[in-house]
Each structure stands twice: as structure tokens, then as C-alpha cells.
Amino acid sequence: MRNELRVAVVGAGLMGSDHVERLANRIAGASVVAVVDVDAERAQRVASKAPGAIAATELGSLLTGDRIDAVVIATPGFLHEKTLLQAIEQGKPILCEKPLTPDAASSWRIIEEEQKIGRKLIQVGFMRRFDREYRQLRRLIESREMGDTLMLHFSHRNAVSPSSFTSQMLINDSVVHEFDGVRYLTGEEITTVQVRLGRPTRHAHHGQHDPQQVLMETESGILVDVEIFVNAQFGYQVAAQAVFEDGIVDIGNDIGPYIRSSGRWGGAVPPSFVERFNDAFNLELQTWVDAAREGTVNGPSAWDGYATAACCEAGVAAQKTGQKVKVALNEKPALYSDEKVATAA
Ligand code: ISE
């Protein structure tokens, strides 16, 4: 294996800062050498969490030369394309937070650039694939020990959302995880998406419809429903129920320590995705670092980023009409042809 991976983290917000802290303290074989953010003060503050890391406001000059080996992209999705193209041009391994880019056409441009290099460089930050229960459910589906999978029901609930979180972001930033989750769990592409807008909560922000119900179909006809509710107040929950011919499986129901105390029983609800997916984030980063040091990718690829971007596009169109919208995908290029839909075993 190569020497320690020298990483530049681009974007010093919540996720960027979390990745810096994890890479510095919990991940083996990597060090953060630079934190890049347009806000110099924020870059400096986050860089100070990683010994020896410098702060910068631009990635450009850091990429050329021999100062960094790999890039983590944790800026908002609409800024990903430019950074991805810069890093691909320099042949650097990339961990790109989801979404790869906000729409199918720009994600396809990334696929085209990666093909020019001729090898995979990108892992997309779909951390559910690294969650223990998601993996167990996928194995159960694959094994067919309870027969065929017929339906998947998902609940995706956030305690609160920022006031800037628009209706479209419920699809592009939140349900994007279920688009990938369905593809990962079933090994099938999603063929249609429909969105139903019912009674909104009084906690929804102005211009935001919350909750929403997203319905999908997969290639073989598995029916999927997702409740996305981003102001659910009580805490964070990402759960799924799989309906098989011969059984029902639930994951993500906070079966932590069961406590009896002071005349009450129960356990704790995680406040946000950072706590809920803590172990998955560690495994995601460690897997990325190990693969990057070997010059490979061992996680959700640019193809997965593109396919989910196409689902998001269909979802946003479906929000407007309430109708079923077909998901349009280009043919999968040879570079990704060895991948089943579900990578990251
Ligand atoms: C956030 O960006 C995430 O990625 C979380 O996993 C998701 O639950 C949340 O809804 C998103 O806003």
C-alpha cells in the first residue's frame, strides 16, 4: 500500500468539518493537509482541528504539484461540478458528498470526464451503504431466503430543517439517499417516481411543502414508498421495512439500550444524521482511504451519482404534476459495466 494519503477537504461547513475531524482522529492511513473554503476564517478554524493542515480559499494551485493525493468535496451540491472537474483533470481520488451534482446532465459530464481518464476516481457520499443494518438487509434481499422482495417502505424524518431548505431540497438533498438506498438494496434501477403532497405540518417553512410522499417502481416492479418529513420535531429517524414473500424485515428503529428508570421505559432518539450514521461515516471514509491508497474505488461510483441525479430530476418534475414520471438513463459506459447497481459490499 502507498504512503499515508494526503487529503484536501473542500468545504468547511458541517460535513466538511466532520470529515476533517474524522480523518484527523479516527481514520488510519490518511492526514488532512489542507482545508479549502471561500470563507478564509472558517477554513482556518476547521484546519486547526487537523495538526499540520493549512487553510486556503482556492483548491486550484494546491492540486498541481505534489502536495496532495486526494480530495474530499463537501461544498453545497451546486458547486461540486467545478471542483470535480479540477480534481479529475489531475487524476486525484475523490470522495464527493451527495449529490454528485444537482442534475442528470451535469452528472453525465462528470461520467464523461472520468471515462477520459480511463479509471474510476470518484466515490459518492452515500453513507447508508456503510450502515450495518442496510448491509444486512441487502444480504437478505440478495439471498432470497424469504423469497422475492415485493415492497419497501421508508421513513426519513429530520427533527428540523433550515429555513433555506426548499421543497425541491426534500428530494435532492434528502430522498436522494432513498433513491440510492433502493438501488443499493435491490440491485435494480428505479424506473418511475411520483410525489404526493398531502396535508402540510404547521412547522413547515414558508415555500416548503413538508411532509411529502415519494412513490417509486423498480425494474422488476418492486413498489417503494418514502415518507420524507424534515420538520418532524421529535428527533432523527431513518428506517425501512422490506416486505418479502415469506417475511417482513425492519431496520433503523433505534433498538439501542432499552432503559427502565424513574418509572419510565425507553431509549434515546438520535438528534441528527451525524449521530445516527456515526459508524457508517467512519467505515465510508476508511473504505475510501484504503481504496484510494491502492488507486481504486470501492464504494458508490459516479454512475450511482448520475443514476440518482436522474431520479432526483424525475422527482422534482413529479412534485409539480403529481403524475408518475419516467426516469431516463443513458446507457451505462463500459467503465462501470462490472458494477452491479449495488457496489460497496
Ligand atoms: C442531509 O443532508 C443528509 O444527508 C441526511 O442524511 C438527511 O437525512 C437529511 O435529510 C439531509 O438534509
Side-chain angles (χ1 to χ4, degrees), residues 161-235:
S161 64
S163 57
S164 56
F165 208 80
T166 61
S167 272
Q168 292 195 353
M169 289 168 86
L170 268 73
I171 302 291
N172 290 337
D173 283 64
S174 299
V175 179
V176 66
H177 282 296
E178 276 71 32
F179 289 138
D180 186 64
V182 169
R183 298 176 62 260
Y184 171 70
L185 291 169
T186 65
E188 295 181 29
E189 294 295 355
I190 293 162
T191 53
T192 68
V193 181
Q194 188 180 357
V195 179
R196 300 175 75 205
L197 306 177
R199 178 186 287 187
T201 167
R202 71 180 195 283
H203 299 295
H205 297 295
H206 181 68
Q208 175 199 63
H209 199 108
D210 184 41
Q212 303 184 18
Q213 189 183 51
V214 181
L215 308 176
M216 311 169 203
E217 292 166 323
T218 70
E219 286 167 312
S220 76
I222 298 173
L223 298 182
V224 182
D225 58 87
V226 181
E227 172 202 312
I228 176 67
F229 187 11
V230 297
N231 298 284
Q233 307 300 305
F234 72 92

Side-chain angles (χ1 to χ4, degrees), residues 98 127-128 156 158 165 173-174 177 228 230 236 238 273 277:
K98 56 85 219 173
M127 80 303 205
R128 267 84 159 154
H156 184 164
N158 293 206
F165 208 80
D173 283 64
S174 299
H177 282 296
I228 176 67
V230 297
Y236 187 77
V238 164
F273 56 89
F277 288 110

